[in-house]
C-alpha cells in the first residue's frame, strides 16, 4: 500500500492488510478516491493547506504571505525554489533557526519502567501544522501538538507536503529545540507525490539534476538548509511514477551525496531500482540498493512476521543492523487499534526480528478527535496506556496497552545543571515567580522543558498527577498532585545518569499544604530509596534546597518526590525541579537589539554572544516596567504577532542553563 495512501491519507484505503497477515493485497494510489486528504487534513487536489485555491505553477500558492512582511513561516519549497534559496536573501531565514545541540541519552534497565519493555528504536512522522502558513515560532493557539513523550522516540520526521503547497519541508525551529533537548534528531521531508495526487516527474528530474562536475546542486541546498536551520537530515519519499532505471540510479547517487554532506538520510520503501514505484513492505533485492546508501529505511505498512524476519536477515547479510529498518504502523488512521502490530513487531518475552518501529501520525491524539480538550488524556493513553502508568501493562477496551509496554524510556538528565518548570510548550497564561504576567492561549515549543521520564508512577496512596496550565511558577504550567494522601507516597520523576559532586544540590519550588522529601536512587543500590527531607509548603510558593554533597562520587540513576503525612484533600503544585552543581556563568547579554514594527506585530533581531542552545525570552515592557512575555527562541530573531498598546521597548533576556535570567538587551520602538 502506498505511502501516499497510508501516510498522507486521513484513513487507510480499502483493502489494507493487517501487519500480522501472511499475504498482502496491493492497494495502489489509483485505486483510491481522486481527492485525497493530505497530512494536514485538507484536500490536496486544488487547494492549499489554508484551504484556498492553489496556483498551477510549481511555485508558492497564491495565498502565501510576502516574505519579510509580518508573520514569518516555516519554509517549504518546490525543487526550483530550493535551488534558488539562500539564507542571505531570505528575510525570514533567521526566524527559522534553532541552535539547540542534540542532547546525549542513556537507555538501559535502570531507565526502564515496564518489565516487558526493551531498548528499541522508534521513529515518528508527525504533523504540527499546515504545510503553508505554519508560523515559525508559535502562535496564539493552545490546541497544539506538543509531542511531549520524547523519551520513547529516537527520530522525528517533520511530515507534510502536497503538490498544491510545497514538497520540501524544513521543520519549525521550535520543534527542533524541543526534540534536541530530549536527544531526538529531526528530519525534514522531501515528498515527491504520485501523479494521481499532482506529482510531476519534472520535479523528480529537477531534484536530480547534475551540474557540470556531476554533482547534485539540490543535495548541496538540502544540506545547506539543514545546517543553517539546525536540524539533522532528510526523509526522502519518492512516489512519482514514470521513472526508469537511469533515474533510479541518479536517485541512489543523490542519496550518497546527501549523506556525504553530513545529512542523516531516511529512505521510504516506494521507488525500486528499476525506477518503478512498487512498495515491497520489506527489504528485498528490489530496494536494497537504496537502503545500502541510507542511514534508515521506512518499510511500507503491509509487512508481517515473515517479512520482518526476511528483512532482518537481508539487512544482516548486507552488514547492516536490522534496527536501521523501521516497520510502518499507521496510527493516524487506526489510532488505538494497533496492539497486534506491536505484538508482531515486539513480542512479549523476546526481541523479535530486531526491526524498529515507525509511527505514522502519532499526532492523532490531538488531530484525530473533535474534542481537543481530550488531547492530554489521549496522548497519555497512547504512550503509557490507559492505566496512566508506564510500569503497568493493562489493556483498554481496544486491547491497547501503551508504547511503554514495549519500549524502554531514554534518560537525558546526564549532567548538572538541570532545570525544569514542567512546561510542555503551550499555555493559557505566563507567570514569573508565581505572578501571572498575562493570560491568553499560546504555543511555543522552544519554551518546552524536559518533562518527567515516567508519567506517572505513584507508589503509595493513589494520587493523581498531571500537568496544570492554570497555575505556574515560571512559565505556563506546573506539576499538579492531588488526592487522598493516606500514607507516605513516592513519585519517581526523572531517570538520570550523573555523578554527584561535592557541590551538587537539589532545588524544588512548590505550593500547597504538604510535607516534602526528595527520593534518590543510585547505581550501586538501584532498588533502594534514599530519602532527603525538603520541608513543608503552604499557600504560597516556597523554594527548598537540599545539599547532596554527602553522596559525592555516586552515580544518581533516578530522582523524584515523596509526600508524607495524612491529608484527605491534598492539592499541591510543583513549579520547579532542579539539580544544580557548581556555579555556572550567566550567558552574555545580546547586543544590537532592534525592534521593528512589521504588519500588526514586531520583528526583533539581535546579535547573540551566548552559547548554542541559549534560550532567549522575548518580552514587551511598558514605560511603567510592566512586562508581557512574547515568546522564546534559541535563535537571534523573533516575531511577535501582537504587542500591548503601551509597549515602550522590547527586551531579549537570555536564560542560563541553571534557569537564572541574565542581563537583557533592549530595543526601543
Amino acid at each position: 500500500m502506498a505511502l501516499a495512501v497510508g501516510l498522507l491519507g486521513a484513513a487507510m484505503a480499502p483493502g489494507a492488510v493487517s501487519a500480522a497477515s501472511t499475504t498482502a493485497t496491493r492497494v495502489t494510489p489509483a485505486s483510491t478516491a481522486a481527492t485525497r486528504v493530505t497530512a494536514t487534513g485538507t484536500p490536496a487536489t486544488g487547494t492549499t493547506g489554508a484551504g484556498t485555491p492553489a496556483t498551477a505553477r510549481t511555485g508558492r500558492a497564491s495565498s502565501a504571505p510576502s516574505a519579510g512582511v509580518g508573520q514569518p513561516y516555516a519554509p517549504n519549497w518546490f525543487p526550483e525554489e530550493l535551488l534558488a534559496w539562500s539564507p542571505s536573501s531570505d528575510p525570514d531565514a533567521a526566524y527559522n533557526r534553532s541552535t539547540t545541540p542534540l542532547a546525549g541519552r542513556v537507555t538501559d534497565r535502570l531507565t526502564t519502567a515496564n518489565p516487558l519493555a526493551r531498548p528499541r528504536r522508534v521513529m515518528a512522522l508527525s504533523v504540527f501544522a499546515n504545510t503553508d502558513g505554519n508560523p515559525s515560532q508559535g502562535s496564539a493557539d493552545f490546541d497544539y501538538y506538543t509531542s511531549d513523550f520524547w523519551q520513547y522516540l529516537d527520530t522525528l520526521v517533520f511530515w507534510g507536503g502536497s503538490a498544491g503547497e510545497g514538497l520540501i519541508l524544513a521543520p519549525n525551529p521550535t520543534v527542533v529545540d524541543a526534540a534536541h533537548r530530549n536527544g531526538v534528531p529531526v528530519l525534514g521531508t522531501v515528498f515527491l507525490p504520485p501523479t494521481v495526487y499532482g506529482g510531476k516527474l519534472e520535479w523528480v528530474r529537477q531534484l536530480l539534476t547534475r551540474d557540470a562536475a556531476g554533482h547534485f546542486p539540490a543535495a548541496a541546498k538540502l544540506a545547506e538548509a539543514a545546517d543553517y536551520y539546525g536540524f539533522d537530515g532528510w526523509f526522502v519519499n519518492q512516489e512519482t511514477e514514470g521513472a526508469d532505471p537511469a533515474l533510479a540510479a541518479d536517485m541512489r547517487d543523490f542519496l550518497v551525496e546527501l549523506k556525504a554532506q553530513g545529512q542523516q538520510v531516511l529512505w521510504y520503501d516506494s521507488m525500486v531500482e528499476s525506477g518503478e514505484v512498487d512498495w515491497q513492505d520489506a527489504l528485498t533485492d528490489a530496494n536494497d540498493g537504496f537502503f545500502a546508501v541510507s542511514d534508515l529505511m521506512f518499510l511500507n505498512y503491509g509487512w508481517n512476521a515473515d517479512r520482518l524476519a526476511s528483512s532482518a536477515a537481508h539487512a544482516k547479510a548486507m552488514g547492516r543492523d536490522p534496527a536501521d529498518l523501521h516497520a510502518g504502523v499507521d496510527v493516524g488512521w487506526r489510532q488505538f487499534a494497533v496492539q497486534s502490530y506491536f505484538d508482531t513487531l515486539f513480542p512479549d518475552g523476546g526481541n523479535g526480528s530486531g526491526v524498529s518501529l515507525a509511527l505514522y501520525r502519532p499526532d492523532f491524539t490531538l488531530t484525530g478527535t473533535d474534542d481537543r480538550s481530550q488531547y492530554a488524556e489521549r496522548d497519555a493513553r497512547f504512550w503509557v496506556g490507559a492505566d496512566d502508568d508506564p510500569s503497568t501493562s493493562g489493556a483498554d477496551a481496544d486491547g491497547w496497552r501503551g508504547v511503554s509496554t514495549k519500549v524502554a524510556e531514554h534518560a537525558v538528565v546526564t549532567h548538572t545543571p538541570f532545570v525544569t518548570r514542567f512546561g510542555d510548550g503551550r499555555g493559557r497564561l505566563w507567570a514569573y515567580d508565581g505572578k501571572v504576567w498575562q493570560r491568553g492561549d499560546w504555543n511555543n515549543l522552544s519554551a518546552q522543558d524536559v518533562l518527567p521520564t515516567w508519567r506517572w508512577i505513584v507508589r503509595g496512596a493513589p494520587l493523581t498527577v498531571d500537568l496544570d496550565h492554570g497555575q505556574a511558577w515560571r512559565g505556563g504550567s506546573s506539576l499538579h498532585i492531588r488526592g487522598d494522601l493516606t500514607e507516605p507516597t513516592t513519585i519517581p520523576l526523572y531517570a538520570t545518569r550523573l555523578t554527584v559532586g561535592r557541590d551538587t544540590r537539589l532545588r524544588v519550588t512548590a505550593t500547597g499544604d504538604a510535607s516534602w522529601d526528595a527520593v534518590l536512587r543510585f547505581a550501586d543500590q538501584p532498588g533502594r530509596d534514599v530519602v532527603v527531607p525538603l520541608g513543608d509548603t503552604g499557600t504560597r510558593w516556597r523554594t527548598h534546597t537540599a545539599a547532596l554533597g554527602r553522596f559525592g562520587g555516586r552515580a544518581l540513576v533516578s530522582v523524584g518526590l515523596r509526600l508524607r503525612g495524612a491529608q484527605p484533600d491534598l492539592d499541591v503544585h510543583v513549579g520547579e525541579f532542579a539539580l544544580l552543581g557548581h556555579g555556572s556563568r550567566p550567558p552574555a547579554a545580546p547586543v544590537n537589539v532592534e525592534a521593528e514594527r512589521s504588519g500588526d506585530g514586531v520583528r526583533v533581531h539581535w546579535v547573540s554572544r551566548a552559547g548554542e542552545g541559549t534560550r532567549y525570552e522575548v518580552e514587551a515592557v511598558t514605560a511603567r516596567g510592566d512586562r508581557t512575555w512574547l515568546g522564546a527562541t534559541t535563535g537571534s530573531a523573533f516575531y511577535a504577532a501582537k504587542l500591548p498598546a503601551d509597549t515602550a521597548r522590547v527586551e531579549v533576556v537570555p536564560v542560563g542553563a541553571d534557569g537564572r535570567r541574565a542581563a537583557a538587551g533592549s530595543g526601543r520602538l
Side-chain angles (χ1 to χ4, degrees):
M1 174 176 29
L3 188 63
V5 177
L7 276 183
L8 290 173
M12 193 174 291
V17 297
S18 165
S21 65
T22 56
T23 59
T25 302
R26 175 69 59 212
V27 179
T28 63
S31 68
T32 65
T35 301
R36 69 174 173 84
V37 178
T38 70
T40 62
T42 55
T45 303
T47 66
T48 70
T52 55
T55 58
R57 65 184 180 85
T58 61
R60 188 58 50 239
S62 60
S63 63
S66 301
V69 178
Q71 171 73 60
Y73 295 93
N76 67 82
W77 305 276
F78 289 88
E80 285 189 335
E81 293 176 321
L82 173 71
L83 291 168
W85 172 83
S86 170
S88 62
S89 60
D90 180 355
D92 288 348
Y95 298 87
N96 286 296
R97 297 193 80 179
S98 164
T99 69
T100 302
L102 187 65
R105 312 209 295 181
V106 174
T107 310
D108 58 25
R109 295 308 302 173
L110 297 181
T111 72
T112 306
N114 196 294
L116 298 177
R118 300 287 184 272
R120 287 163 170 150
R121 286 158 58 180
V122 179
M123 172 192 303
L125 283 74
S126 299
V127 170
F128 291 83
N130 287 352
T131 296
D132 268 347
N134 177 6
S136 299
Q137 297 166 312
S139 65
D141 184 6
F142 179 75
D143 293 325
Y144 188 82
Y145 182 61
T146 56
S147 187
D148 54 5
F149 285 86
W150 299 104
Q151 62 269 40
Y152 299 105
L153 289 181
D154 295 271
T155 305
L156 175 75
V157 175
F158 188 82
W159 175 247
S162 74
E165 298 171 284
L167 307 179
I168 302 165
L169 282 72
N172 298 63
T174 56
V175 173
V176 179
D177 283 341
H180 277 192
R181 283 189 196 115
N182 287 275
V184 177
V186 182
L187 307 183
T189 293
V190 178
F191 174 50
L192 299 164
T195 55
V196 72
Y197 300 142
K200 299 178 181 180
L201 197 61
E202 172 191 1
W203 288 332
V204 182
R205 296 190 185 282
Q206 289 170 355
L207 188 75
L208 301 181
T209 297
R210 298 178 188 259
D211 61 18
H215 296 297
F216 297 95
K221 280 296 180 182
L222 289 173
E224 181 184 7
D227 292 343
Y228 177 83
Y229 290 130
F231 60 97
D232 305 282
W234 295 94
F235 172 39
V236 181
N237 173 22
Q238 199 309 86
E239 296 187 79
T240 307
E241 302 90 337
D244 56 20
L247 200 60
D250 284 341
M251 177 61 79
R252 186 181 184 279
D253 292 346
F254 177 85
L255 299 179
V256 170
E257 196 161 304
L258 186 60
K259 186 175 177 180
Q261 297 195 48
Q263 301 300 294
Q264 186 174 124
V265 175
L266 167 63
W267 176 254
Y268 173 58
D269 163 28
S270 50
M271 185 189 208
V272 293
E273 292 158 46
S274 67
E276 296 177 278
V277 175
D278 186 11
W279 301 272
Q280 301 292 293
D281 307 308
L283 179 64
T284 70
D285 291 336
N287 61 19
D288 60 0
F290 296 111
F291 177 55
V293 298
S294 302
D295 295 286
L296 306 170
M297 183 171 174
F298 183 122
L299 301 181
N300 191 51
Y301 304 106
W303 50 267
N304 52 45
D306 289 342
R307 285 175 175 167
L308 292 176
S310 67
S311 297
H314 198 134
K316 291 177 181 177
M318 296 173 64
R320 293 290 299 272
D321 186 346
D324 293 340
L325 300 170
H326 288 68
V329 176
D330 187 354
V331 295
W333 175 57
R334 297 185 182 277
Q335 300 203 8
F336 298 101
V338 291
Q339 189 64 52
S340 63
Y341 290 81
F342 276 67
D343 291 341
T344 300
L345 186 58
F346 302 140
D348 288 347
N351 292 323
S353 63
V355 174
S356 300
L357 169 66
L359 296 170
Y360 173 63
R361 297 299 302 272
D363 55 282
F364 82 88
T365 55
L366 175 70
T367 59
T369 176
D370 292 332
D371 183 3
R372 295 198 166 190
S373 69
Q374 298 299 309
Y375 166 49
E377 179 182 340
R378 283 165 56 85
D379 211 40
R381 177 187 169 198
F382 178 69
W383 292 104
V384 300
D387 294 341
D388 203 27
D389 181 342
S391 68
T392 63
S393 304
D396 62 19
D398 291 310
W400 176 242
R401 296 187 287 150
V403 174
S404 59
T405 305
K406 303 289 187 179
V407 180
E409 295 86 350
H410 297 277
V412 293
V413 185
T414 58
H415 57 83
T416 60
F418 168 73
V419 179
T420 181
R421 279 79 182 256
F422 303 101
D424 66 350
R426 61 179 189 155
R428 299 193 183 279
L429 54 80
W430 183 268
Y432 185 76
D433 286 359
K435 179 183 177 182
V436 176
W437 280 1
Q438 79 258 10
R439 297 187 184 275
D441 291 356
W442 60 271
N443 70 77
N444 181 314
L445 285 177
S446 292
Q448 187 185 76
D449 294 313
V450 174
L451 295 171
T453 311
W454 303 298
R455 296 176 55 184
W456 308 95
I457 299 174
V458 180
R459 300 180 181 135
L463 302 179
T464 298
V465 187
D466 56 20
L467 301 180
D468 185 1
H469 296 93
Q471 192 166 352
W473 167 243
R474 292 185 181 178
S477 52
S478 60
L479 184 69
H480 190 195
I481 307 170
R482 62 194 187 278
D484 186 2
L485 182 65
T486 56
E487 59 181 310
T489 300
T490 298
I491 304 170
L493 293 175
Y494 288 94
T496 66
R497 198 56 51 86
L498 58 88
T499 301
V500 176
R502 289 182 300 172
D503 299 323
T504 305
R505 61 197 184 278
L506 176 70
R507 186 176 71 203
V508 177
T509 299
T511 184
D513 291 326
S515 297
W516 299 87
D517 300 318
V519 178
L520 317 177
R521 288 191 174 187
F522 296 95
D524 54 3
Q525 292 180 305
R528 177 174 176 262
D529 286 344
V530 177
V531 177
V532 178
L534 292 174
D536 299 337
T537 51
T539 57
R540 295 185 178 182
W541 291 100
R542 183 176 178 182
T543 297
H544 304 274
T545 301
L548 304 181
R550 65 185 181 277
F551 306 114
R554 299 179 71 183
L556 185 67
V557 297
S558 75
V559 61
L561 293 170
R562 188 178 77 152
L563 290 148
R564 48 188 161 80
Q567 195 166 333
D569 55 352
L570 180 80
D571 193 338
V572 297
H573 291 79
V574 183
E576 181 183 77
F577 190 94
L579 286 163
L580 306 171
H582 56 79
S584 57
R585 181 177 299 177
V591 298
N592 300 338
V593 178
E594 296 185 17
E596 303 169 347
R597 291 194 180 273
S598 180
D600 294 331
V602 60
R603 287 188 170 217
V604 188
H605 49 91
W606 57 91
V607 175
S608 173
R609 300 190 302 170
E612 281 191 341
T614 297
R615 185 186 305 186
Y616 291 97
E617 306 286 350
V618 185
E619 298 163 5
V621 186
T622 68
R624 299 184 304 275
D626 297 331
R627 291 179 178 270
T628 299
W629 183 80
L630 301 176
T633 182
T634 64
S636 57
F638 187 81
Y639 174 79
K642 186 177 181 181
L643 282 177
D646 53 353
T647 299
R649 65 185 186 276
V650 176
E651 289 193 356
V652 180
V653 185
V655 179
D658 60 0
R660 292 186 297 175
R661 291 159 62 90
S666 180
R668 302 197 70 84
L669 291 170

